[in-house]
Amino acid sequence: MSPEGKKLWNIIVLGFGFMFMFTAFQTCGNIEQTVIKSFNSTEFHGSGYTSMAIIYGVFSASNLIAPSVVAVIGPQLSMFFSGLLYSCYIAVFIYLYTWSFYTASVLVGVAAAVLWTAQGNVLAINSSDSTIGRNSGIFWSLMQFSLFFGNLYIYCSWHGHVHITDLDRQTVFISLTVISLVGCFLFFLIRKPDPEGSSAPEGAESLLPSDSSDGTTEGPAGPCAQAVEAFIKACKMFVTKEMLLLSVSIGYTGLELTFYSGVYGTCIGAMTRFGTDAKSLIGISGICIGIGEILGGGVFGLLNKSSRFGRNPVVLLGLITHYVAFYLIFLNIASDAPLAPEGGTDLEAFITPSVWVALFCSFLLGLGDSCFNTQLLSIIGLLFRDNSAPAFAVFKFIQSIMAAVAFFYSNYLLLHWQLLILVVMGFLGSVSFFVTEWVAQSSRRDYDRY
């Protein structure tokens, strides 16, 4: 296999590994609050929103050490062991206990930081300036197929169910645990790129496992020194001009990640005016989100349209798409839907609730999210390819801390206040991305001139 073929193979395997893992995890996140509301036990006192807030809070803090872990054991093993912890979190729902639920939330927060730092490292190492957009799109599209398959399974399993029984819950989560484990083992199919013809810099390549590496190595090349160096790089990168500008855009993706992956599905399931089949609509909503994600990743990544016209038009399209979705959700979904009990809410918003409008909004949320994330992956992979692992660790640090904040306030804020926060942050995030893109293009022109 040619060097370029091997790199493309790695990106495809990476995408499939994440597709299997997040078929399980994203489906879990989409339904867990609904499952917990249906769980009949006086001994369990957990909250899906609180769990996700813990996950993303720990995720954000753990990003400070994630580059060190990836530097020492390499991205392949980092993704494998992180995937095992993801599988443990999903398995907790088979037999729910408050202590195991929140303990697993902490562990998966640590795992998430390591997983996504290693993913960014593999993506950057296997990409060049000309392929980073394509590879980001391939990875994003493959991963987001997880929303389609997982939620289709939920729809088929729960169709016509008003209440989620213990048997329903256990059957679903046993299946999801097995699917997640399959994704973990796929990471062993990733191959180390050939050094010949590789455009990845030496600093990034060193984060891949090397046959000559020895856990007992002393001196500057030893694991401890690599860990400290990676940590220092991550701290320095956080205060660079480009990363500070991008931080607002990244923060917005954390807020809207919380909304589409947890809050919106709960809102749809709580709308009794959608009929007795509202619970199974959570699965259809997730499928629509996945279709939007896949379409956006394919159009703006696979076809690499962004390289010709720049990234700003894609981000602007994402912002407009999200604004349309937020307006329609405001009109269509009752304001107390995120906080409604298991019985749901009988309130109306400003129009007669429509299932089709709700599902169209799901599609728009996914499409807009893919616009932002593919372009952020692309610009970070391009600007920080010399230090890809620390850069993606900072990216996930900012995104996850904002997601944790959003999951926390989702326990208390009515829907219209959550939408207002998204509208304001979406505007600020888009402006900050535009400025970063102009700075990047200006720097590239100056570099080419000399």
Side-chain angles (χ1 to χ4, degrees):
M1 187 181 292
S2 67
E4 285 304 314
K6 186 179 291 186
K7 290 180 179 180
L8 181 59
W9 165 264
N10 288 344
I11 297 297
I12 293 172
V13 171
L14 183 70
F16 272 105
F18 272 70
M19 183 188 74
F20 276 91
M21 277 186 55
F22 282 86
T23 290
F25 184 74
Q26 289 193 124
T27 304
C28 173
N30 201 24
I31 65 174
E32 69 176 57
Q33 183 69 3
T34 301
V35 167
I36 287 171
K37 287 180 180 179
S38 300
F39 186 52
N40 184 22
S41 173
T42 57
E43 297 180 359
F44 183 79
H45 306 287
S47 164
Y49 291 153
T50 303
S51 169
M52 285 295 176
I54 292 171
I55 288 173
Y56 284 101
V58 175
F59 185 1
S60 62
S62 299
N63 275 294
L64 298 175
I65 63 169
S68 303
V69 176
V70 177
V72 172
I73 68 174
Q76 191 175 58
L77 288 177
S78 296
M79 291 188 293
F80 173 72
F81 288 119
S82 298
L84 292 181
L85 291 177
Y86 269 76
S87 303
C88 290
Y89 176 80
I90 297 164
V92 161
F93 284 85
I94 299 171
Y95 294 101
L96 266 173
Y97 299 98
T98 306
W99 68 269
S100 60
F101 180 52
Y102 286 131
T103 301
S105 300
V106 173
L107 293 177
V108 85
V110 177
V114 176
L115 178 77
W116 283 101
T117 299
Q119 175 271 333
N121 184 219
V122 173
L123 178 66
I125 288 172
N126 289 279
S127 302
S128 63
D129 288 359
S130 60
T131 62
I132 184 68
R134 181 202 67 185
N135 290 348
S136 298
I138 291 173
F139 168 76
W140 192 256
S141 295
L142 286 173
M143 188 189 79
Q144 295 304 339
F145 267 105
S146 61
L147 287 167
F148 180 83
F149 295 121
N151 287 289
L152 180 61
Y153 174 58
I154 293 301
Y155 175 75
C156 295
S157 298
W158 291 359
H159 184 64
H161 289 212
V162 177
H163 177 78
I164 308 305
T165 66
D166 287 349
L167 180 61
D168 292 334
R169 186 191 73 250
Q170 290 169 354
T171 301
V172 164
F173 282 97
I174 288 172
S175 302
L176 294 180
T177 301
V178 172
I179 292 169
S180 178
L181 288 170
V182 171
C184 295
F185 285 95
L186 281 178
F187 293 134
F188 286 116
L189 297 178
I190 293 176
R191 305 166 67 180
K192 184 176 179 180
D194 296 329
E196 295 81 19
S198 173
S199 59
E202 184 178 349
E205 179 71 23
S206 65
L207 292 181
L208 282 171
S210 173
D211 295 337
S212 61
S213 63
D214 189 343
T216 61
T217 302
E218 305 274 345
C224 291
Q226 290 180 18
V228 172
E229 183 182 1
F231 176 78
I232 293 173
K233 283 181 179 179
C235 294
K236 289 181 177 179
M237 196 164 293
F238 185 77
V239 296
T240 60
K241 176 178 65 177
E242 294 83 1
M243 191 59 78
L244 287 174
L245 285 170
L246 285 174
S247 63
V248 185
S249 308
I250 297 169
Y252 171 66
T253 64
L255 297 182
E256 54 99 6
L257 167 67
T258 293
F259 186 76
Y260 83 76
S261 67
V263 176
Y264 190 56
T266 301
C267 291
I268 290 178
M271 290 293 290
T272 59
R273 292 183 179 271
F274 286 161
T276 58
D277 213 23
K279 293 288 190 294
S280 64
L281 285 177
I282 299 174
I284 297 297
S285 171
I287 291 171
C288 292
I289 292 171
I291 293 172
E293 295 275 12
I294 294 164
L295 178 64
V299 172
F300 304 118
L302 275 174
L303 301 181
N304 207 19
K305 295 294 184 184
S306 60
S307 64
R308 182 177 178 183
F309 301 106
R311 300 175 183 86
N312 284 347
V314 180
V315 171
L316 179 60
L317 175 62
L319 179 67
I320 294 171
T321 302
H322 273 170
Y323 274 9
V324 173
F326 297 154
Y327 179 67
L328 292 176
I329 292 169
F330 176 72
L331 296 178
N332 193 49
I333 303 293
S335 62
D336 67 335
L339 309 178
E342 186 197 353
T345 177
D346 293 323
L347 297 180
E348 289 188 8
F350 296 93
I351 62 174
T352 302
S354 168
V355 172
W356 294 109
V357 171
L359 297 181
F360 178 62
C361 290
S362 300
F363 168 77
L364 293 179
L365 289 173
L367 180 62
D369 181 67
S370 69
C371 290
F372 276 94
N373 276 284
T374 55
Q375 303 316 299
L376 282 168
L377 286 173
S378 176
I379 197 169
I380 291 174
L382 182 65
L383 290 175
F384 302 104
R385 194 149 44 87
D386 288 355
N387 296 291
S388 58
F392 281 99
V394 173
F395 167 51
K396 284 299 175 178
F397 170 79
I398 299 168
Q399 187 182 63
S400 56
I401 200 168
M402 294 303 292
V405 169
F407 272 113
F408 177 77
Y409 69 59
S410 295
N411 278 306
Y412 307 101
L413 293 184
L414 295 174
L415 180 62
H416 59 271
W417 292 116
Q418 296 190 40
L419 292 173
L420 178 61
I421 292 171
L422 289 168
V423 167
V424 173
M425 282 297 296
F427 174 77
L428 296 176
S430 299
V431 171
S432 72
F433 187 95
F434 298 158
V435 174
T436 308
E437 173 72 357
W438 289 329
V439 169
Q441 293 296 336
S442 177
S443 299
R444 169 167 283 193
R445 284 193 296 268
D446 291 343
Y447 177 82
D448 293 341
R449 187 180 305 164
Y450 295 102

